[in-house]
Amino acid sequence: MAVKDRDRFSTATRIRLLGEQTAARVYRSQTKRQARRSRLTGRAALLALVLCTLVVALAYPIREYVSQRAEIADLQREKAQAAERVEKLRDLKARWQDDTYAEQQIRQRLHYVMPGETGFVVVDPGAARQSHTDLGTADRPWYANVWDGVDKSDASDQ
């Protein structure tokens, strides 16, 4: 037993025990550090970098694609409106080819009468109350605007 006790207190034994304890502490701290270390490995970082690069590289073309699709939709809507307007103008042209429609429009717009007919002009009582100065320049005939301009320039000369 004396050899065992002596071996227990020998310097070599103490150093070996101290080394083992130190190694155990280092091992425990390394395992804790590994547990705390993020799971981001080199491959994961590279994959994240590649994905970010792809997103940045594709952002502009995707934005352009979406804006072009919106522009195409607008142009298709305008095309449909133009086709509808063309159809209305064709109908109007076909109506004007009919002599009775043309005669009706001439009588209505130009106040023409056929020979032997008597033309009447009905005055609106509400229109008589308004003076011609109350009307806006767009609502009045062009010659009234010209005559007012002459009157104003004549008044400014005096």
Side-chain angles (χ1 to χ4, degrees), residues 105-123:
Q105 291 299 313
I106 290 169
R107 285 173 166 243
Q108 182 181 358
R109 294 181 184 189
L110 301 177
H111 304 288
Y112 278 17
V113 292
M114 295 299 285
E117 293 180 352
T118 305
F120 294 98
V121 177
V122 178
V123 178

Side-chain angles (χ1 to χ4, degrees), residues 59-89:
Y60 182 74
I62 289 174
R63 189 183 78 190
E64 287 297 314
Y65 173 77
V66 169
S67 67
Q68 287 176 358
R69 294 304 302 172
E71 187 177 347
I72 288 171
D74 289 342
L75 290 174
Q76 287 175 342
R77 190 186 75 250
E78 287 178 15
K79 178 184 172 186
Q81 289 174 348
E84 184 179 319
R85 186 165 188 275
V86 165
E87 190 63 32
K88 287 180 182 177
L89 290 173

